[in-house]
Amino acid sequence: MSVAKGVAWRQVHNFFTNPSFLLPSLLFPLFFFIAFVGGLSRIREVPGFNFPLGYTAFQFVFVLLQSAAFSGVFTGFGIARDFETGFMRRLMLAAPNRLGIVIGYAIAGLVRWITVIVVVTGVAFAAQMKIGGDGVDLFGLYVLGFLLSIVGTLWSTGVAMRLRTQQAFPVIQMPVFILLFFAPVYVPLGLLQGWLHGVARVNPITPLLEEGRGLISGSPEKTLLAFAILFGLLIFFSVWAIRGLWRAEAAG
Amino acid sequence: MEIAVLQAATLARRAVIRTARQPANIVFPLIFPMLLFAVNSGGLRSETRLQGFPTNSFVAFAIAVPFIQGALLATVNANVEFARDIQTGFLNRLALTPVRGLVLLVGQLGGLLTIALVQAVFYLVVGYAFGVRLATGPAGWLMLLLLETVIALAFASFGTWAALRTGSTEAVQGLFPVFFVFLFLSSANIPRNLIETDWFRWVATANPVSYLIEAVRSLAIYDWYWEPILLGFAVAIGLSMVGFTLATHALIERMARS
């Protein structure tokens, strides 16, 4: 636990004291939110767009999940950077239990996401976002993001531990980007057409988005499926990250 | 004059080869804009049902964005390499040779334009495969490539200015999010007259990137509608002149310092 605390503190300290870490994490979700809500709000007039709370709330859920996943991605960037600078090797030598390293990075990723989502939520309310759900629904929405952030961290940790270079950035980032954007980002699933509709239907992010939008509007319909997917991903990527750690240990 | 052309061509060739030797610098600018194009043209297709939307084909509407995005990516990648030249002292060594500053700039920008043009042809071919048929016909292809050249020159001159001012690869890489903000706060995803939020419409109207996108878009969806085309050229040429002037001054300052 002391290893996890030490790693988490270092990462959080770096995050808050280095603008080049803090600003991209904070600005990208905000920027997506502003650009989508400001530019595309007219989409709610498209026949068949039946989300009751307007486009701000519709996009807020996407930005919440996107920021959660990308907090994990940025954590992976940090791990890859630590490998290249040689810090990770020293950390591994010093840590009595190396699993604590992964846990420490995951905690730091969560702190990063909580910081980001507090700001994004503030901006969303300033933009007069409507809420239909009660406190329990909103809690469920943030739990979705919380769990997705851990999944993102475990995914990126596994990649960073295997590749151990900053060249891993696109490998970490692109699949997450693709999964997020090949979901019903701009319009509900029913309005997607062609190949994107087919891809979005089998994309595991789609039920998370739909559940998030259900929770914010007070009518969640895919709670069981969404949380089952998240727990499945958590188990799968925990194994992925731990095996990555073993590979890194074996590589010396 | 002949010597200057030869020197510029050699430097341009070096810029192209250096980019070609790094697969990430080739693949990413080709794939990423196409990925975003695929996502947007699938996700936003229902926009065509909005009253007043200028075309029935969203892919034709959306094809303009990869051209602008590709020019941005090419600019950032090539100028990161230029900044590396400054960091590693290559520019200082070049300053000891008879190569003139203007030739150096032309060579650097020439290499970058070559890369941007290759990308543009790729986007046109992929767009064609996706069913995009330019309303302006084959002549529109040529006009589009000419426009892309001027647009790439505009972005490139600003990137070169940043590289010369800072001499830092990280600072030039930091331009990408800035350019990206300009791209998203424009009429990239929806026509300006259909943007409902007032402040966003004002920002998009004040944003020069909107005019570049609309010029490319008009070649795809209108049959030689000259107003946006000429506006696009005017904005791109204006930006190029400002950027080139800034880059020239920065080069003179850097040469004086070294």
Side-chain angles (χ1 to χ4, degrees), chain B residues 13-26 29 74 77-78 81 111 115:
Chain B
R13 187 168 162 269
R14 177 177 177 271
V16 172
I17 290 174
R18 193 169 42 169
T19 304
R21 280 182 179 157
Q22 298 179 66
N25 282 355
I26 303 261
N77 285 341
E81 294 304 319
I115 296 162

Side-chain angles (χ1 to χ4, degrees), chain A:
Chain A
M1 207 53 211
S2 61
V3 175
K5 269 167 66 181
V7 171
W9 187 87
R10 174 179 177 271
Q11 289 303 109
V12 170
H13 179 264
N14 282 349
F15 175 66
F16 283 110
T17 54
N18 192 337
S20 65
F21 296 151
L22 177 67
L23 290 179
S25 303
L26 208 56
L27 291 182
F28 261 103
L30 263 183
F31 171 60
F32 273 123
F33 184 66
I34 290 167
F36 290 168
V37 170
L40 300 172
S41 54
R42 194 80 185 267
I43 286 180
R44 73 175 192 284
E45 292 174 16
V46 169
F49 190 97
N50 48 13
F51 188 72
L53 300 177
Y55 207 64
T56 308
F58 186 82
Q59 278 303 341
F60 174 76
V61 174
F62 171 72
V63 172
L64 181 139
L65 295 181
Q66 180 261 335
S67 63
F70 267 80
S71 286
V73 164
F74 282 118
T75 304
F77 288 179
I79 297 172
R81 204 176 293 118
D82 284 343
F83 269 110
E84 273 206 355
T85 58
F87 177 78
M88 185 60 87
R89 182 173 289 190
R90 299 196 294 277
L91 190 63
M92 283 189 165
L93 283 172
N97 183 352
R98 288 164 185 162
L99 201 60
I101 297 173
V102 176
I103 296 170
Y105 279 112
I107 293 169
L110 283 173
V111 172
R112 184 193 290 260
W113 177 66
I114 290 166
T115 310
V116 170
I117 204 58
V118 164
V119 175
V120 173
T121 304
V123 171
F125 280 117
Q128 297 174 331
M129 178 176 71
K130 292 177 195 156
I131 301 281
D134 57 20
V136 177
D137 292 329
L138 286 186
F139 179 75
L141 174 64
Y142 284 95
V143 170
L144 273 183
F146 186 86
L147 294 176
L148 188 62
S149 176
I150 299 175
V151 170
T153 299
L154 291 172
W155 150 253
S156 64
T157 301
V159 177
M161 293 275 182
R162 281 167 173 81
L163 299 182
R164 301 181 290 280
T165 163
Q166 294 191 55
Q167 306 274 336
F169 285 8
V171 183
I172 294 172
Q173 188 172 249
M174 282 309 267
V176 178
F177 182 88
I178 290 170
L179 269 181
L180 281 169
F181 277 86
F182 281 13
V185 175
Y186 303 113
V187 290
L189 182 63
L191 284 179
L192 289 182
Q193 294 166 19
W195 66 270
L196 189 61
H197 183 261
V199 173
R201 276 187 62 188
V202 295
N203 183 346
I205 297 295
T206 300
L208 305 187
L209 262 177
E210 290 182 329
E211 171 62 8
R213 284 166 182 160
L215 285 166
I216 203 168
S217 56
S219 52
E221 288 171 359
K222 297 193 170 172
T223 309
L224 204 62
L225 177 62
F227 282 93
I229 287 171
L230 273 174
F231 282 110
L233 291 173
L234 271 176
I235 293 166
F236 180 81
F237 285 115
S238 295
V239 175
W240 165 258
I242 291 167
R243 289 178 71 96
L245 178 67
W246 291 346
R247 288 244 195 131
E249 286 173 339

Side-chain angles (χ1 to χ4, degrees), chain A residues 31 34 38 44 182 186 193, chain B residues 39-40 43 45 184 196-197 199:
Chain A
F31 171 60
I34 290 167
R44 73 175 192 284
F182 281 13
Y186 303 113
Q193 294 166 19
Chain B
V39 168
N40 285 348
R45 193 187 294 181
F184 265 73
E196 191 181 46
T197 312
W199 69 263

